[in-house]
Amino acid sequence: MAKMFFTSESVTEGHPDKICDQISDAILDSILEADPNAHVACEVTATTGMIHVMGEITTDCYADIDKITRSVVNEIGYDRPECGFNGNTCAVISSINSQSPDICMGVDSSYEYREGEEDALNLTGAGDQGIMFGYACNETPELMPLPISLAHRLAKRLAAVRKDNTLPYLRPDGKTQVTVEYDDGKPVRIDTVLISTQHAEEASLDRIRADLIKYVIDPVVPEELMDEKTRILVNPTGRFVLGGPAADSGLTGRKIIVDTYGGYSRHGGGAFSGKDPTKVDRSAAYAARWAAKNVVAAGLADKCEIQLSYAIGVAKPVSIMADSFGTGKVSDEKLAEAVSKVFDLRPAAIIRDLELKKPQYRQLAAYGHMGREDLGVKWEKTDRTEELKKYLGM
């Protein structure tokens, strides 16, 4: 494999799209806390002075959407006029309907259950058709690709030094990007680090650049992967005072590559935020990551991508595919077979095994849904490695 360069980006929690993701998931968490069986599909848009919450929600509980929305915006840091957007004064509009009864019919009673397969785990059908991908590789301790891992860590660090007043002139909006040079499929050096951050009017570009190198880049990027040719770009336009929804509209689900693998793996297209776990866009994507991570953690491959596909109202996956990119210790066909035997990939089983009915989603709505070992989520557990090896006779 020839030398190549691969780039991934992340965004801070103050990015307009990520504000919307966090509001959607905060509303979901609030509803699941009172009604774990609720059906939720909540989306948000944000623009200058206004947030619009919309979607389909079926539940018996009450969620104070206005209060939740303002709380999220203020916690992110948009709580005063100088940030360009203010959770205390912005308009909050709500347009919520109940879920279509045609969809409910397939979700609450799957095709298999109606056909006489009355296993309790067959009761829940997939909330939609679609394809989902999960991926893992051995480039980082959390088994994520190095470019997205570093981009997320930089974005989290950028938010941290703002919130703890290490760099008080920073504002909530920001983006990071990391380009990694690979040789024969292995990361060998960091070629470029890019950070764009919103800032107060009085902060000079020279000061921002020096501070971000000292307080953000140096503590995050491994020194041994940087050299004299590594480029560091900070606010390359020269100015980033106006940011957040005042500068750009936001929308739930518009950062799906940031949410997963930074483009290093394929993506089925479905977003996560604001969706309850009967939506396989979310739950099956988590399950596919769980399976792929266990394959790599078991030493069965250096890289593994799992694809799952579903039909609306049907419990069992339509197909399961594994791709080890030539690194597998057994054939990809055997890996897929092992995954199908070791992991129960029906929606009800995924929800049970990964504990997806509990409120936990707001914390995932920024800095990635995958690789989040810091949050203790179940799909990051490597608890099926021995079963996989046993099935394969290894």
Side-chain angles (χ1 to χ4, degrees):
M1 186 175 180
K3 193 175 290 187
M4 73 171 192
F5 296 85
F6 194 90
T7 303
S8 294
E9 72 159 351
S10 182
V11 297
T12 64
E13 61 212 59
H15 185 281
D17 295 330
K18 276 291 149 204
I19 296 172
C20 296
D21 286 342
Q22 289 167 92
I23 294 170
S24 293
D25 276 336
I27 292 169
L28 173 63
D29 280 347
S30 176
I31 292 171
L32 289 179
E33 188 169 13
D35 180 7
N37 296 313
H39 292 313
V40 180
C42 177
E43 298 183 342
V44 176
T45 61
T47 189
T48 305
M50 184 177 72
I51 292 173
H52 187 183
V53 181
M54 67 199 86
E56 296 79 44
I57 299 176
T58 301
T59 182
D60 293 329
C61 77
Y62 171 74
D64 191 334
I65 288 174
D66 184 275
K67 183 179 179 180
I68 294 168
T69 298
R70 296 185 189 280
S71 175
V72 169
V73 174
N74 286 329
E75 287 173 16
I76 289 169
Y78 290 110
D79 55 357
R80 53 197 189 281
E82 54 264 38
C83 290
F85 194 81
N86 191 338
N88 298 306
T89 59
C90 68
V92 177
I93 302 170
S94 177
S95 305
I96 300 294
N97 297 308
S98 61
Q99 188 182 59
S100 162
D102 293 345
I103 296 175
C104 284
M105 182 172 65
V107 172
D108 294 339
S109 180
S110 75
Y111 171 82
E112 291 95 332
Y113 200 84
R114 297 194 306 274
E115 290 295 306
E117 297 183 42
E118 295 184 358
D119 180 337
L121 292 175
N122 277 338
L123 184 59
T124 302
D128 201 354
Q129 72 176 52
I131 56 175
M132 298 83 208
F133 288 94
Y135 180 80
C137 63
N138 57 12
E139 292 179 14
T140 62
E142 69 274 22
L143 303 185
M144 286 287 285
L146 183 61
I148 189 65
S149 178
L150 289 176
H152 281 324
R153 288 170 59 195
L154 287 168
K156 288 176 71 176
R157 180 71 181 170
L158 187 60
V161 297
R162 169 179 62 87
K163 289 182 171 183
D164 68 12
N165 280 321
T166 299
L167 303 180
Y169 58 80
L170 295 182
R171 298 292 181 256
D173 198 356
K175 304 179 80 171
T176 63
Q177 187 170 288
V178 177
T179 301
V180 175
E181 181 180 339
Y182 286 79
D183 192 357
D184 196 26
K186 303 292 184 182
V188 294
R189 60 180 291 272
I190 305 299
D191 183 74
T192 305
V193 176
L194 166 60
I195 300 180
S196 295
T197 181
Q198 185 186 10
H199 59 88
E201 179 86 41
E202 66 272 12
S204 69
L205 181 59
D206 287 343
R207 179 184 177 189
I208 296 169
R209 176 181 168 82
D211 283 348
L212 261 56
I213 291 173
K214 179 178 179 180
Y215 294 106
V216 178
I217 296 173
D218 285 350
V220 167
V221 181
E223 184 179 0
E224 64 271 17
L225 291 179
M226 299 181 74
D227 57 31
E228 68 280 358
K229 293 183 179 179
T230 300
R231 291 187 300 168
I232 295 177
L233 301 174
V234 174
N235 284 10
T237 66
R239 176 182 167 89
F240 188 177
V241 173
L242 188 62
D248 187 15
S249 61
L251 177 65
T252 297
R254 199 157 57 181
K255 286 290 177 285
I256 56 177
I257 300 304
V258 171
D259 286 341
T260 52
Y261 308 101
Y264 207 91
S265 169
R266 285 168 283 196
H267 196 292
F272 304 152
S273 289
K275 297 178 180 177
D276 76 80
T278 64
K279 278 73 171 176
V280 284
D281 280 345
R282 170 166 239 155
S283 53
Y286 293 163
R289 162 65 178 173
W290 183 35
K293 186 171 183 178
N294 273 269
V295 167
V296 175
L300 301 174
D302 294 335
K303 302 177 182 181
C304 182
E305 183 180 75
I306 301 293
Q307 185 205 52
L308 307 176
S309 68
Y310 291 84
I312 188 169
V314 179
K316 296 174 183 176
V318 173
S319 67
I320 302 172
M321 181 275 291
D323 188 349
S324 65
F325 307 93
T327 70
K329 305 302 186 289
V330 297
S331 70
D332 290 344
E333 182 181 6
K334 283 288 188 182
L335 286 176
E337 181 183 315
V339 166
S340 71
K341 298 299 183 182
V342 171
F343 295 87
D344 190 336
L345 296 168
R346 292 173 292 176
I350 294 171
I351 291 168
R352 176 200 64 191
D353 293 341
L354 299 184
E355 299 180 358
L356 297 181
K357 285 188 177 182
K358 70 179 185 181
Q360 58 188 310
Y361 299 110
R362 159 80 194 280
Q363 62 185 346
L364 292 158
Y367 314 118
H369 293 247
M370 312 304 177
R372 299 302 301 275
E373 293 182 347
D374 57 315
L375 300 178
V377 291
K378 292 291 186 177
W379 54 94
E380 292 301 320
K381 301 296 184 183
T382 53
D383 52 358
R384 300 290 175 93
T385 56
E386 294 306 315
E387 290 179 66
L388 286 168
K389 288 190 287 187
K390 182 178 179 181
Y391 181 83
L392 293 167
M394 301 179 71

